[in-house]
Amino acid sequence: MNVFAIISAIIVAMGTGYSIYSVYRHKNKLANTSGVMISMVIAVITGLLTGSIIGILSGEIFLVVGVSMIIGFVVGFLAGHPVGILAILMGSISGLMGGIIGSILGAFIQFINPTILLGILLGFYILIIGFVIMYIFVESNNKLSLDTQELSPFAIIAGGVVLVSLFLFMYSSDMVEIPGQSKATQTETQQAATTPEVAKTEVDVTKASKPLVKMKVTTQGYTPNVIRVKKGVPVELEINNPLDSSNCISTFMIPDFNINNVNLKTGTTKLTFTPDKSGEYTFSCGMQMFKGTIIVE
C-alpha cells in the first residue's frame, strides 16, 4: 500500500505541477473567468488527493488535516497567482476545502481496502487534470477547439454504467469492504460489546538490560496488556499474530512513542521503541477497541 501511495503522490505532484506551469505559461491568453475556474479545479482535486494519500499513510487526524490544508492553500494560491486576486482567493479556499475533505476521507478508508479506493480517486484525478490541461491548450491556441457537443451523451452514460458495474462487481466479490458489512469488523464489535473485560496480564522488564516483550494477539485483545519498562531503555516487542491481518486488532499503535497503524501480518512482527518519558501510556488496535498500558518508571 505504501508503494502505491507514493506512486500516487508522484503522479499528483507531476500532474498538478504541469497544470500550474501551463497556467503560468499561457496566462496572457486565459480569460479571467476561465483562470478562476481552472485554479479552483486544480486546487480542490489536488487537495482531495493529497489529503487522502496522507490520511491513508498516517492515523493522526490533526496532523493530516493541517498538512493537507496547507498544501491545498499553497496549490490554490499558485494556480490563481498568474490570473489575479479573485483566482487566488477562490483557488485558496477550494484548496483548503479539498484538503480537509481528502484528509478525513483518507483517515476513514485506511481500514477499508484503501488501495482500490485510492486507485478510483487517482483515476478521477488523472481524468480531471487531463481535461484541465487540454482546456488550457485549447484556450491559448486559436487553431484548436473543443466542442463538447460532439461527445455523445450515450457514450458518457455508457461509461458511467461501466464504472458503476465494475465497482458493484468488486463489492459483490468481496474485493471491497464496505463499512458495516465486513464480517471481521462485525465479529470484533460483537466481541468488544459482549466479552467481559479481559484480565490484566502484566510483564515487568525494568531490570533487563535488553528488554524483550513477547506479545500475542488474540480475539480478546493483547497478551500481556500491561508492560512495565524503564525510562530511556529501548524495548523490543515481538508480537505473534495468528489471526487474519485484515482484522482491526491486527493494526497496532503506540502513538506516544511514534508507532502508528502498524499492520501486524500473520506471523511475527518485531517493533522497537524507546520510552523517553515517565508515566502511563496506551497501546491499542486501529479502532482503539482493544487496549493495553505501558508503564514507564
Side-chain angles (χ1 to χ4, degrees):
M1 178 59 213
N2 288 347
V3 175
F4 182 64
I6 293 172
I7 294 174
S8 300
I10 293 173
I11 293 174
V12 171
M14 293 175 60
T16 300
Y18 186 75
S19 61
I20 293 176
Y21 165 76
S22 299
V23 174
Y24 273 88
R25 182 179 179 182
H26 302 288
K27 60 183 179 180
N28 295 327
K29 299 180 181 180
L30 292 175
N32 186 61
T33 303
S34 300
V36 171
M37 297 305 297
I38 288 172
S39 66
M40 290 177 62
V41 173
I42 293 174
V44 72
I45 193 65
T46 301
L48 181 64
L49 259 294
T50 302
S52 298
I53 293 170
I54 300 175
I56 289 172
L57 294 177
S58 173
E60 297 290 336
I61 296 294
F62 179 80
L63 175 64
V64 173
V65 172
V67 172
S68 301
M69 287 173 59
I70 294 172
I71 293 175
F73 176 84
V74 171
V75 169
F77 191 98
L78 291 175
H81 178 259
V83 181
I85 185 65
L86 182 60
I88 290 176
L89 290 173
M90 298 303 293
S92 300
I93 293 173
S94 299
L96 285 172
M97 296 303 297
I100 294 172
I101 296 171
S103 58
I104 296 174
L105 177 63
F108 175 70
I109 67 175
Q110 63 178 314
F111 302 113
I112 314 168
N113 209 324
T115 302
I116 292 179
L117 294 179
L118 180 58
I120 293 173
L121 288 174
L122 183 63
F124 281 119
Y125 170 84
I126 294 173
L127 180 65
I128 293 172
I129 285 295
F131 274 121
V132 168
I133 295 173
M134 184 188 303
Y135 180 79
I136 293 173
F137 277 102
V138 169
E139 283 289 295
S140 60
N141 193 328
N142 296 327
K143 296 181 181 180
L144 298 176
S145 63
L146 182 62
D147 187 3
T148 56
Q149 294 182 355
E150 295 180 358
L151 295 174
S152 171
F154 296 103
I156 299 174
I157 294 173
V161 170
V162 170
L163 290 175
V164 172
S165 300
L166 179 61
F167 186 82
L168 291 176
F169 168 75
M170 291 188 295
Y171 168 61
S172 62
S173 61
D174 294 330
M175 294 179 66
V176 177
E177 294 181 9
I178 304 299
Q181 299 299 320
S182 170
K183 293 181 179 179
T185 303
Q186 289 180 350
T187 301
E188 289 170 7
T189 304
Q190 292 172 356
Q191 288 174 344
T194 60
T195 303
E197 184 177 355
V198 181
K200 290 186 178 180
T201 51
E202 182 175 332
V203 62
D204 187 342
V205 293
T206 54
K207 297 181 180 180
S209 58
K210 295 182 179 180
L212 171 63
V213 177
K214 293 186 177 181
M215 182 181 294
K216 185 174 181 179
V217 180
T218 70
T219 56
Q220 296 182 345
Y222 303 103
T223 303
N225 51 25
V226 178
I227 304 172
R228 291 185 179 272
V229 298
K230 189 173 182 63
K231 179 182 176 182
V233 180
V235 179
E236 182 178 357
L237 294 177
E238 188 176 290
I239 306 175
N240 179 27
N241 181 21
L243 307 177
D244 186 347
S245 61
S246 64
N247 291 340
C248 165
I249 198 171
S250 297
T251 300
F252 183 80
M253 59 183 184
I254 316 175
D256 291 296
F257 299 122
N258 298 320
I259 296 179
N260 296 301
N261 296 319
V262 175
N263 181 246
L264 303 177
K265 297 181 179 180
T266 303
T268 301
T269 301
K270 294 184 179 181
L271 302 173
T272 302
F273 70 94
T274 300
D276 55 358
K277 45 193 175 183
S278 302
E280 294 188 5
Y281 305 95
T282 300
F283 62 87
S284 68
C285 67
M287 298 179 70
Q288 299 186 9
M289 292 192 301
F290 302 97
K291 299 180 180 181
T293 304
I294 296 176
I295 302 173
V296 184
E297 300 178 347

